[in-house]
Structure formats: C-alpha cells, structure tokens
Amino acid sequence: MIGRLRGAVAEIGEEEALIDVMGVGYVVRCGSRTLQRLPALGEEALLHIESQWSESAGLRLYGFGTREDRKAFVLLQAIQGVGPKAAMAVLDVLSPAELASAVAREDKAAVGRASGVGPKLALRIVTELKDKPITDGPVFMGAPTPAAAPAKPAPSGDAVAALMGLGVAEVNARRVVEAAAAKLGDEATVQALIKAGLQELGR
C-alpha cells in the first residue's frame, strides 16, 4: 500500500488533489484544511497517505499534510459509525492537537462542529478516544483554541466570496486569497486581494 507521495501538484479540486509523481497522476482525497495548505500548481508537495481498499470503490488514497493528521484519521475510523468522510470532517475543524484537547476536556460540542457529526457520534468519539495517543505533543487543557473562530478576517472572506462569484472553486479561491494576504499584509483591501488572486489564477 502507498504510505507517502512526493510530487508536483497537477490539480486541486473540491475534495481531492492530483499529484504527479514521475508522470503518474495519483488522485488523493484530502480534507479542506490539507487542500488549502498545498503549494501552488506545479510545485512539489509531500502528502502522508492512508491507503484503503474496498470491492465497491477499489483503491482510494487519503492524503494529509502531517503524520499526526494521518494517525488521527486512522484512530477516528476505528470508532463505530465514523467513516472516511466523517473522519475528514472532524480533522477539517480540529487539528490533531485540538482534537486531543477536546477529548481531554470531554468537549463533544467542539467535535460536533464537524459536518455530518451529530451529538451522539460526537460523544462516542470523545469517549472512545479517551486515553488514546492522538498526538505526540502535550495536550492543552484550557479553553478551545482560536480555530473555533472564523478563520478569515472580513476582507479575505469578501475576496473569497467575490472570486467564487466569478466561478472559482472555493478551495482555490481561499488558497490564492491566503497567498495574497500573506504578501500584501493585514491592511490589504478587498479589491487588492481580488486582483492579486486573479493574477495568481492567471485570469
């Protein structure tokens, strides 16, 4: 089974990326957090892969930016009722460290923010992951991290919405706006972010 891929980013979609490894394109399913952090098209990416096989779907590759993300994905799927989609959804709203913190606090509400994860499943996740080594680092027992707050300031959010209105996929819109915001700084206007994003997309 494939455990890791290093290659050029050929395509980035809504739920997957195409990684070109020496001329072979691998379709890798990724969560939004991983997709947003991929490098630009044509640049090299390293993804930690969890390979899964089923008779109905064949071989599927799930990609993660870190080993801890992959480890948390595997632990989540060991819980009854948690499939790949739900596990990805949890890791979209909580990093492994944040998940470990939520489990330590028995904060099922934090886990329940994940799409498709109801209160009962969130409780089961918190209960069954208790004392499981989700992350190698220390577990923060305080209040929820800032990840629970909106990830983007208003100008970036407006710029992403504007690009989506022009037909750009959300994951690509967020990626180019993030890159533009990093270059232009916190004072960048919506118009400047949109212009830089369109330039990055070659439009």
Side-chain angles (χ1 to χ4, degrees):
M1 289 293 187
I2 297 170
R4 187 175 70 175
L5 284 178
R6 184 193 297 273
V9 179
E11 296 177 15
I12 299 177
E14 295 288 346
E15 298 180 346
E16 60 193 27
L18 181 65
I19 307 298
D20 188 327
V21 181
M22 300 179 67
V24 179
Y26 291 86
V27 176
V28 184
R29 291 174 176 260
C30 303
S32 62
R33 191 161 57 89
T34 300
L35 289 171
Q36 289 169 14
R37 295 177 180 178
L38 285 176
L41 297 181
E43 294 185 5
E44 186 178 78
L46 172 64
L47 287 174
H48 298 273
I49 303 297
E50 175 64 18
S51 302
Q52 295 188 357
W53 170 269
S54 69
E55 291 188 2
S56 59
L59 178 64
R60 283 189 173 179
L61 306 180
Y62 296 89
F64 307 91
T66 69
R67 290 186 181 89
E68 284 194 339
D69 283 327
R70 178 187 173 189
K71 179 180 178 180
F73 178 74
V74 173
L75 285 173
L76 282 164
Q77 284 195 89
I79 299 170
Q80 182 181 0
V82 180
K85 187 173 182 178
M88 284 285 195
V90 171
L91 293 174
D92 276 345
V93 299
L94 296 171
S95 69
E98 291 163 352
L99 177 59
S101 177
V103 169
R105 300 191 314 269
E106 300 184 356
D107 187 358
K108 65 179 183 180
V111 178
R113 298 203 324 268
S115 176
V117 176
K120 290 184 178 179
L121 185 55
L123 177 60
R124 185 181 303 153
I125 290 171
V126 168
T127 302
E128 295 196 21
L129 288 184
K130 198 78 168 176
D131 301 323
K132 294 286 180 65
I134 301 171
T135 178
D136 297 329
V139 177
F140 176 63
M141 292 290 292
T145 67
K152 303 294 177 189
S156 293
D158 290 343
V160 169
L163 290 176
M164 290 174 63
L166 295 174
V168 179
E170 181 179 358
V171 63
N172 292 332
R174 290 193 182 280
R175 177 172 57 82
V176 297
V177 168
E178 278 186 1
K183 292 178 182 178
L184 300 177
D186 295 336
E187 302 302 319
T189 64
V190 175
Q191 291 77 11
L193 292 173
I194 293 172
K195 182 178 179 180
L198 289 173
Q199 289 175 343
E200 177 72 19
L201 291 166
R203 298 193 178 189

